[in-house]
Amino acid sequence: MFVPPTWVEGLLIQIGMYVVLPLIIAIISVIVIGKKLNHKESHHKESHQKESHHKESHQKESHHKRSNHWGSKIIIFVFAFIVAVIVVYPIGCVYWFNAYEVPSVQEKTITVQGWEPRPGIIPNNNGMMTISNADQLLLVTTENEGFFNMENFLFGKFNTRDIFNQLKVGGTYKIKYYGWRNGFNSGFPNILSVEEVVNETGAKNNTYGDYFGTKLW
Protein backbone atom coordinates (compact mmCIF):
# COMPACT_ATOMS: atom_id res chain seq x y z
CA MET A 1 0.00 0.00 0.00
CA PHE A 2 1.31 3.44 -0.95
CA VAL A 3 2.22 5.70 1.98
CA PRO A 4 2.65 9.35 0.95
CA PRO A 5 5.63 11.27 2.30
CA THR A 6 5.02 13.79 5.05
CA TRP A 7 5.42 17.44 4.10
CA VAL A 8 8.82 17.45 5.86
CA GLU A 9 10.01 14.42 3.88
CA GLY A 10 8.73 15.89 0.62
CA LEU A 11 10.37 19.25 1.37
CA LEU A 12 13.72 17.63 2.18
CA ILE A 13 13.61 15.45 -0.94
CA GLN A 14 12.88 18.41 -3.20
CA ILE A 15 15.45 20.67 -1.53
CA GLY A 16 17.99 17.89 -2.00
CA MET A 17 17.15 17.53 -5.69
CA TYR A 18 16.70 21.15 -6.68
CA VAL A 19 19.13 22.97 -4.35
CA VAL A 20 21.70 20.71 -2.70
CA LEU A 21 22.59 18.66 -5.79
CA PRO A 22 23.12 21.77 -8.00
CA LEU A 23 25.24 23.29 -5.19
CA ILE A 24 27.44 20.19 -5.09
CA ILE A 25 27.82 20.24 -8.88
CA ALA A 26 28.70 23.96 -8.78
CA ILE A 27 31.29 23.47 -6.01
CA ILE A 28 32.93 20.58 -7.86
CA SER A 29 33.02 22.70 -11.02
CA VAL A 30 34.75 25.54 -9.15
CA ILE A 31 37.32 23.13 -7.66
CA VAL A 32 38.12 21.43 -10.97
CA ILE A 33 38.23 24.59 -13.08
CA GLY A 34 39.96 26.49 -10.28
CA LYS A 35 42.81 23.97 -10.21
CA LYS A 36 43.30 24.41 -13.93
CA LEU A 37 43.36 28.18 -13.52
CA ASN A 38 45.86 27.89 -10.64
CA HIS A 39 48.08 25.67 -12.74
CA LYS A 40 48.08 28.13 -15.62
CA GLU A 41 48.64 31.05 -13.23
CA SER A 42 51.59 29.29 -11.54
CA HIS A 43 53.17 28.54 -14.89
CA HIS A 44 52.70 32.15 -15.98
CA LYS A 45 54.05 33.41 -12.63
CA GLU A 46 57.24 31.35 -12.96
CA SER A 47 57.83 32.69 -16.46
CA HIS A 48 57.17 36.24 -15.32
CA GLN A 49 59.53 35.96 -12.33
CA LYS A 50 62.38 35.01 -14.65
CA GLU A 51 61.80 38.10 -16.75
CA SER A 52 60.85 40.70 -14.09
CA HIS A 53 63.26 42.68 -11.85
CA HIS A 54 60.76 45.08 -10.21
CA LYS A 55 59.49 43.67 -6.87
CA GLU A 56 56.86 46.35 -6.11
CA SER A 57 55.16 46.15 -9.50
CA HIS A 58 55.23 42.37 -9.27
CA GLN A 59 53.41 42.45 -5.89
CA LYS A 60 50.71 44.76 -7.26
CA GLU A 61 50.28 42.52 -10.26
CA SER A 62 49.98 39.43 -8.01
CA HIS A 63 47.29 41.13 -5.88
CA HIS A 64 45.36 42.09 -9.02
CA LYS A 65 45.56 38.51 -10.32
CA ARG A 66 44.28 37.08 -7.01
CA SER A 67 41.29 39.44 -7.15
CA ASN A 68 40.58 38.38 -10.72
CA HIS A 69 40.98 34.75 -9.69
CA TRP A 70 38.29 35.01 -6.97
CA GLY A 71 36.04 36.88 -9.36
CA SER A 72 36.45 34.08 -11.89
CA LYS A 73 35.58 31.48 -9.25
CA ILE A 74 32.38 33.32 -8.32
CA ILE A 75 31.34 33.59 -11.97
CA ILE A 76 32.08 29.88 -12.52
CA PHE A 77 30.08 28.94 -9.40
CA VAL A 78 27.02 31.00 -10.40
CA PHE A 79 27.09 29.79 -13.99
CA ALA A 80 27.57 26.13 -12.97
CA PHE A 81 24.75 26.38 -10.39
CA ILE A 82 22.30 27.84 -12.94
CA VAL A 83 23.19 25.20 -15.54
CA ALA A 84 22.90 22.43 -12.92
CA VAL A 85 19.44 23.63 -11.87
CA ILE A 86 18.29 23.72 -15.51
CA VAL A 87 19.56 20.15 -16.05
CA VAL A 88 18.53 18.68 -12.69
CA TYR A 89 15.02 20.16 -12.50
CA PRO A 90 13.39 18.02 -15.25
CA ILE A 91 15.25 14.94 -13.99
CA GLY A 92 13.95 15.63 -10.48
CA CYS A 93 10.40 16.06 -11.78
CA VAL A 94 10.55 12.68 -13.56
CA TYR A 95 11.99 11.05 -10.42
CA TRP A 96 9.23 12.53 -8.22
CA PHE A 97 6.61 11.46 -10.77
CA ASN A 98 7.79 7.82 -10.88
CA ALA A 99 8.67 7.48 -7.19
CA TYR A 100 5.60 9.13 -5.66
CA GLU A 101 2.87 10.20 -8.09
CA VAL A 102 2.58 6.97 -10.14
CA PRO A 103 2.42 4.70 -7.04
CA SER A 104 -0.23 6.97 -5.52
CA VAL A 105 -2.79 6.42 -8.33
CA GLN A 106 -6.08 5.13 -6.88
CA GLU A 107 -9.78 4.87 -7.68
CA LYS A 108 -12.61 6.08 -5.47
CA THR A 109 -16.37 6.62 -5.62
CA ILE A 110 -17.39 10.19 -4.78
CA THR A 111 -20.51 12.33 -4.77
CA VAL A 112 -19.99 15.89 -5.95
CA GLN A 113 -21.10 18.57 -3.52
CA GLY A 114 -19.80 21.50 -5.55
CA TRP A 115 -16.91 23.40 -7.07
CA GLU A 116 -15.03 26.30 -5.47
CA PRO A 117 -11.93 28.38 -6.27
CA ARG A 118 -8.71 26.46 -5.84
CA PRO A 119 -6.48 27.45 -2.89
CA GLY A 120 -3.98 30.09 -3.95
CA ILE A 121 -6.43 31.94 -6.17
CA ILE A 122 -7.36 35.00 -4.15
CA PRO A 123 -9.74 37.91 -4.75
CA ASN A 124 -8.52 41.42 -5.50
CA ASN A 125 -8.92 44.42 -3.19
CA ASN A 126 -12.58 44.69 -4.17
CA GLY A 127 -13.26 41.06 -3.30
CA MET A 128 -13.64 40.11 -6.96
CA MET A 129 -12.10 36.94 -8.37
CA THR A 130 -11.67 35.91 -12.01
CA ILE A 131 -11.98 32.22 -12.92
CA SER A 132 -11.13 31.51 -16.55
CA ASN A 133 -10.02 27.85 -16.56
CA ALA A 134 -11.36 24.63 -15.06
CA ASP A 135 -8.03 23.95 -13.35
CA GLN A 136 -8.65 26.99 -11.14
CA LEU A 137 -11.49 25.15 -9.40
CA LEU A 138 -11.45 22.62 -6.55
CA LEU A 139 -14.02 19.81 -6.46
CA VAL A 140 -15.57 19.27 -3.02
CA THR A 141 -17.32 15.99 -2.20
CA THR A 142 -20.18 15.29 0.19
CA GLU A 143 -17.55 13.74 2.49
CA ASN A 144 -15.75 17.10 2.58
CA GLU A 145 -12.81 15.87 0.53
CA GLY A 146 -11.13 18.11 -2.02
CA PHE A 147 -9.78 17.21 -5.47
CA PHE A 148 -7.81 19.27 -7.96
CA ASN A 149 -8.64 19.03 -11.65
CA MET A 150 -5.31 20.15 -13.11
CA GLU A 151 -3.44 19.18 -16.26
CA ASN A 152 -0.37 16.95 -15.98
CA PHE A 153 2.08 16.51 -18.85
CA LEU A 154 3.65 13.27 -17.57
CA PHE A 155 0.26 11.60 -17.07
CA GLY A 156 -0.89 12.96 -20.43
CA LYS A 157 -3.89 14.72 -18.90
CA PHE A 158 -5.05 17.78 -20.86
CA ASN A 159 -8.85 17.58 -20.55
CA THR A 160 -9.69 19.51 -17.40
CA ARG A 161 -12.74 21.16 -18.97
CA ASP A 162 -14.12 17.79 -20.09
CA ILE A 163 -13.74 16.39 -16.59
CA PHE A 164 -15.43 19.47 -15.15
CA ASN A 165 -18.37 18.87 -17.48
CA GLN A 166 -18.56 15.19 -16.48
CA LEU A 167 -18.56 15.73 -12.72
CA LYS A 168 -21.98 17.27 -12.15
CA VAL A 169 -23.08 18.61 -8.77
CA GLY A 170 -25.19 15.97 -7.02
CA GLY A 171 -23.85 13.12 -9.18
CA THR A 172 -21.94 10.08 -7.93
CA TYR A 173 -18.91 8.87 -9.88
CA LYS A 174 -15.96 6.54 -9.71
CA ILE A 175 -12.83 8.59 -10.39
CA LYS A 176 -9.14 7.81 -10.86
CA TYR A 177 -6.75 10.21 -9.17
CA TYR A 178 -3.19 10.59 -7.95
CA GLY A 179 -1.54 12.47 -5.12
CA TRP A 180 -2.52 13.09 -1.53
CA ARG A 181 -3.79 15.76 0.84
CA ASN A 182 -0.98 18.00 2.06
CA GLY A 183 -2.18 20.69 4.42
CA PHE A 184 1.23 22.38 4.56
CA ASN A 185 1.12 23.65 0.96
CA SER A 186 -2.65 23.32 0.35
CA GLY A 187 -2.09 20.24 -1.79
CA PHE A 188 -4.95 17.95 -2.86
CA PRO A 189 -5.23 14.78 -4.96
CA ASN A 190 -5.58 15.48 -8.68
CA ILE A 191 -8.32 13.81 -10.75
CA LEU A 192 -7.02 11.91 -13.78
CA SER A 193 -10.27 10.60 -15.23
CA VAL A 194 -13.91 9.72 -14.59
CA GLU A 195 -14.06 5.93 -14.72
CA GLU A 196 -17.78 5.33 -14.21
CA VAL A 197 -21.05 7.17 -13.74
CA VAL A 198 -22.63 5.57 -10.65
CA ASN A 199 -25.70 7.77 -10.19
CA GLU A 200 -26.77 11.05 -11.78
CA THR A 201 -30.31 11.14 -10.44
CA GLY A 202 -31.15 14.79 -9.78
CA ALA A 203 -27.79 16.00 -11.10
CA LYS A 204 -27.70 18.83 -13.64
CA ASN A 205 -25.11 20.00 -16.12
CA ASN A 206 -22.64 22.46 -14.63
CA THR A 207 -23.50 26.01 -15.65
CA TYR A 208 -20.41 27.94 -16.74
CA GLY A 209 -21.86 31.22 -15.48
CA ASP A 210 -21.96 29.86 -11.94
CA TYR A 211 -18.19 29.38 -11.86
CA PHE A 212 -16.39 31.18 -14.68
CA GLY A 213 -15.90 34.91 -15.12
CA THR A 214 -15.29 37.73 -12.64
CA LYS A 215 -17.51 37.66 -9.59
CA LEU A 216 -17.66 38.19 -5.85
CA TRP A 217 -16.74 35.03 -3.97
Side-chain angles (χ1 to χ4, degrees):
M1 180 179 178
F2 173 76
V3 178
T6 64
W7 71 266
V8 175
E9 292 171 341
L11 183 63
L12 291 176
I13 291 169
Q14 295 193 43
I15 288 176
M17 289 190 298
Y18 304 136
V19 179
V20 176
L21 186 55
L23 279 175
I24 292 172
I25 294 172
I27 291 170
I28 292 173
S29 299
V30 170
I31 293 172
V32 172
I33 298 174
K35 284 183 177 180
K36 292 182 179 180
L37 291 176
N38 286 334
H39 178 72
K40 289 182 180 180
E41 186 178 327
S42 298
H43 180 73
H44 178 72
K45 188 176 181 181
E46 288 174 3
S47 301
H48 185 74
Q49 284 176 341
K50 291 178 182 179
E51 299 173 358
S52 177
H53 301 286
H54 303 286
K55 186 176 180 181
E56 185 177 347
S57 67
H58 176 67
Q59 287 176 342
K60 289 180 179 179
E61 186 177 347
S62 297
H63 177 72
H64 180 66
K65 285 181 178 179
R66 282 196 297 269
S67 299
N68 287 341
H69 188 58
W70 277 107
S72 298
K73 283 186 175 181
I74 293 172
I75 293 172
I76 292 168
F77 177 83
V78 172
F79 179 75
F81 180 77
I82 293 173
V83 172
V85 169
I86 293 172
V87 172
V88 168
Y89 183 77
I91 296 174
C93 289
V94 172
Y95 167 77
W96 182 266
F97 171 76
N98 286 290
Y100 296 99
E101 292 182 350
V102 171
S104 72
V105 173
Q106 300 179 59
E107 291 185 352
K108 184 170 189 174
T109 300
I110 63 166
T111 298
V112 180
Q113 178 174 290
W115 295 86
E116 61 184 46
R118 180 166 56 84
I121 300 176
I122 58 176
N124 61 22
N125 294 332
N126 297 320
M128 304 300 289
M129 183 182 295
T130 300
I131 302 294
S132 56
N133 297 306
D135 60 6
Q136 294 176 290
L137 296 171
L138 176 76
L139 182 145
V140 180
T141 73
T142 53
E143 295 182 350
N144 292 320
E145 294 178 299
F147 289 88
F148 285 147
N149 176 28
M150 301 171 65
E151 297 185 349
N152 186 298
F153 174 80
L154 293 175
F155 274 115
K157 180 197 170 185
F158 305 103
N159 59 339
T160 55
R161 183 61 68 95
D162 295 332
I163 288 176
F164 169 78
N165 291 335
Q166 288 177 284
L167 296 173
K168 304 171 185 177
V169 175
T172 301
Y173 308 89
K174 180 189 284 186
I175 61 169
K176 181 181 286 187
Y177 66 93
Y178 74 91
W180 53 92
R181 176 74 174 104
N182 187 343
F184 177 74
N185 65 356
S186 299
F188 290 86
N190 189 13
I191 301 169
L192 286 172
S193 59
V194 178
E195 299 296 299
E196 179 185 348
V197 177
V198 178
N199 185 3
E200 284 190 331
T201 303
K204 297 181 180 179
N205 291 334
N206 295 327
T207 304
Y208 288 2
D210 292 341
Y211 303 101
F212 297 95
T214 301
K215 57 191 72 207
L216 183 67
W217 289 90

